[in-house]
Amino acid sequence: MELTDFGKKLTGGSGILQLMDDLGKPLAKGIRPYPLGGGNPARVPEVEKAYMERMEALVSCGAFGDVISRYDSPQGRMSFIETVATYFRNLYGWDIDGDNVAVTNGSQSAMFYLFNMFSGTSSGRKKTILFPLMPEYVGYADQGIEEGTMVSIASKCTVFGDNTFKYTMDIEAVSSYMAEHPEVGAICVSRPTNPSGNVLTDDEIHELDVLAKRYSVPLIIDNAYGLPFPDIVFIDEATPVWNENIILSMSLSKIGLPSIRTGIIIASKEIVSAISGLNAIAALASGSMGQALAEDLIGSGRLVRLAREHVMPFYRRRKEMAEGWIRKYFDGLECMYHRIEGSIFCWLYLPRLRIPAKEFYAELKKTGVITVPGEYFFFGSKEQEEGRPYPHPHYDKCLRINYSGDEESVEEGIRRIAAAYRAQDRDVSAAVFSHIRN
């Protein structure tokens, strides 16, 4: 069969396809998995209990049948939308109502809509999405229907004395790029940042907001790990922000409902109307169950309390454990990790890695250790279009580790990564990995 350009682009190999395959497909028989890849959140008992109570309430009051047997509006479940708007208006004083909120089948779908609304051919000119802090989320890289619509600015890097570092935005480079490239149709960041665990400061967000307004383009903020839920943020300076020029994307995935795809968009009424139209064409409507389960939890403030009192402390403990295991098993090795300011990931930088991270990932997978190689998180450069690596020294020397799994698996996975990294200094052949496979 012959596919169109659209079909070829979206069905070809991609980092996000590999990541999701690693989540769902078993390893070879006899290999015990140590799943440190993907973005599966942990199961937090207090959160699961709250959803179970809501499910029981839906069944006992007779509302369950209505939830599963009727389509909602393409905009979303209207009672849920009004609840979200009211809660955020009261919590942060944002000037929003139900017409500023839309629901999609997960925030990944929302980003697909948004990226292709603001990039691609328009009046004979190709518009682009600018990512001002690279590396960024692997799931963005291939979402443009047209080729060459994702562009990026490499981050700066500050190194600290405790074998940690932090990416910072090169605002001068971003400003210059915006001034010289009128084809930019939107700016996008994740906050906290996937993969690095970086949290853009309030000042950095303000600078991006000012730039976006100056050039009359929206600022898209992916808040999948942020405040007020799931609140996987470990620093103080991460104030939620919204105005008419900001498109804020949220999700219920990282607060217990990853399999019930529920993305929440807060945006101008014009953009919400456009998303509703896209949703009608692509999906008729979004799934109702996540909205029904979370509606009362959001309206009462219980979901935010669960996030603050249980979800954030849970991940803070796991983060501290992961940092301790890295210090233990990488002792004496040249290794740094990004300061974990939020999200559920640790971003390892292995400067002495002698093979590309993709190859290192493949060898680790043979031992049962699943990670995500760093190359997939660097995209949107002219160099890559010309067949060269992304112009950042971390490009092929990083791994993303999800530390939210069970403690034994995470620790053993980190130990095996360190052992393989240590062994490569003695012998870079594939045989060096064999001693850690059993």
Side-chain angles (χ1 to χ4, degrees):
M1 70 182 171
E2 183 176 353
L3 298 179
T4 64
D5 290 345
F6 169 85
K8 291 174 184 176
K9 186 176 189 302
L10 270 69
T11 60
S14 66
I16 196 64
L17 175 61
Q18 177 183 298
L19 182 153
M20 295 307 294
D21 266 356
D22 282 344
L23 278 179
K25 290 185 177 179
L27 295 173
K29 187 176 180 180
I31 297 179
R32 177 181 171 180
Y34 298 94
L36 278 63
N40 258 345
R43 295 176 62 179
V44 180
E46 294 83 359
V47 175
E48 286 198 355
K49 180 182 177 183
Y51 288 132
M52 289 177 66
E53 290 172 353
R54 288 304 309 141
M55 179 65 80
E56 290 167 356
L58 289 173
V59 173
S60 63
C61 75
F64 179 79
D66 183 65
V67 171
I68 66 169
S69 64
R70 298 178 185 275
Y71 290 121
D72 283 320
S73 156
Q75 185 182 344
R77 191 174 184 84
M78 298 313 298
S79 59
F80 177 80
I81 283 170
E82 292 295 340
T83 296
V84 169
T86 300
Y87 187 80
F88 279 89
R89 183 172 63 246
N90 293 338
L91 183 63
Y92 297 122
W94 295 345
D95 183 18
I96 63 173
D97 59 29
D99 290 337
N100 294 104
V101 179
V103 178
T104 60
N105 287 309
S107 57
Q108 185 84 0
S109 295
M111 288 299 170
F112 182 78
Y113 293 163
L114 291 167
F115 290 162
N116 290 293
M117 282 169 56
F118 293 106
S119 73
T121 302
S122 175
S123 302
R125 181 178 66 179
K126 181 177 285 189
K127 301 183 71 175
T128 60
I129 305 294
L130 174 64
F131 298 92
L133 186 82
M134 196 58 45
E136 256 289 6
Y137 172 46
V138 59
Y140 299 153
D142 299 293
Q143 287 213 342
I145 291 175
E146 296 185 32
E147 294 283 356
T149 57
M150 306 298 183
V151 297
S152 65
I153 305 294
S155 63
K156 292 181 177 180
C157 184
T158 302
V159 176
F160 302 98
D162 58 354
N163 290 326
T164 66
F165 65 94
K166 176 178 169 60
Y167 293 132
T168 56
M169 186 171 62
D170 188 343
I171 190 61
E172 292 82 9
V174 177
S175 299
S176 296
Y177 191 93
M178 291 295 296
E180 297 167 3
H181 293 83
E183 73 275 11
V184 172
I187 300 171
C188 179
V189 294
S190 58
R191 188 193 194 215
T193 303
N194 176 354
S196 64
N198 184 58
V199 175
L200 287 165
T201 66
D202 291 348
D203 286 344
E204 286 175 316
I205 290 293
H206 175 70
E207 289 173 325
L208 288 176
D209 186 34
V210 169
L211 265 181
K213 289 176 180 174
R214 180 185 304 162
Y215 293 100
S216 301
V217 300
L219 171 61
I220 303 170
I221 302 176
D222 186 342
N223 191 44
Y225 298 91
L227 295 164
F229 57 80
D231 193 5
I232 311 177
V233 177
F234 311 125
I235 64 171
D236 294 330
E237 192 183 356
T239 309
V241 60
W242 182 83
N243 58 53
E244 284 281 328
N245 201 57
I246 288 175
I247 304 172
L248 185 64
S249 172
M250 302 186 66
S251 172
L252 297 181
S253 290
K254 299 308 186 281
I255 190 158
L257 297 179
S259 68
I260 304 179
R261 311 298 297 135
T262 311
I264 302 168
I265 293 294
I266 301 176
S268 69
K269 296 177 180 180
E270 180 182 11
I271 289 172
V272 164
S273 177
I275 289 173
S276 300
L278 283 166
N279 226 15
I281 292 170
L284 297 184
S286 298
S288 302
M289 186 55 71
Q291 299 175 73
L293 290 175
E295 182 177 327
D296 285 352
L297 296 176
I298 292 174
S300 67
R302 186 180 176 191
L303 195 66
V304 170
R305 291 194 297 273
L306 285 166
R308 182 177 62 247
E309 297 171 7
H310 298 285
V311 176
M312 189 276 288
F314 175 93
Y315 283 107
R316 184 188 289 276
R317 288 192 298 271
R318 288 297 177 86
K319 173 201 69 113
E320 292 168 352
M321 288 179 181
E323 290 171 332
W325 293 325
I326 290 169
R327 289 191 294 269
K328 175 181 178 180
Y329 294 115
F330 282 85
D331 183 43
L333 296 171
E334 288 188 44
C335 168
M336 290 187 286
Y337 64 92
H338 193 285
R339 288 193 166 179
I340 307 174
E341 300 175 334
S343 84
I344 62 177
F345 305 113
C346 179
W347 180 246
L348 279 180
Y349 171 46
L350 308 174
R352 288 183 60 82
L353 192 62
R354 297 189 183 184
I355 56 177
K358 284 184 180 179
E359 293 182 25
F360 194 52
Y361 149 86
E363 294 296 335
L364 288 169
K365 188 173 179 179
K366 295 174 185 176
T367 77
V369 180
I370 306 298
T371 63
V372 187
E375 290 96 327
Y376 288 128
F377 299 91
F378 291 91
F379 54 89
S381 73
K382 288 184 178 179
E383 287 82 358
Q384 287 172 304
E385 291 179 4
E386 297 167 357
R388 291 179 286 145
Y390 192 94
H392 194 289
H394 293 190
Y395 167 69
D396 61 353
K397 298 186 182 301
C398 291
L399 296 175
R400 192 192 76 176
I401 293 174
N402 182 340
Y403 59 78
S404 67
D406 72 87
E407 296 172 21
E408 180 185 357
S409 292
V410 175
E411 180 179 9
E412 178 60 15
I414 290 172
R415 186 196 71 79
R416 288 176 176 233
I417 295 169
Y421 184 48
R422 191 184 303 274
Q424 62 146 21
D425 277 344
R426 298 191 296 270
D427 182 356
V428 297
S429 70
V432 305
F433 294 88
S434 62
H435 73 285
I436 61 171
R437 290 179 187 162
N438 298 320

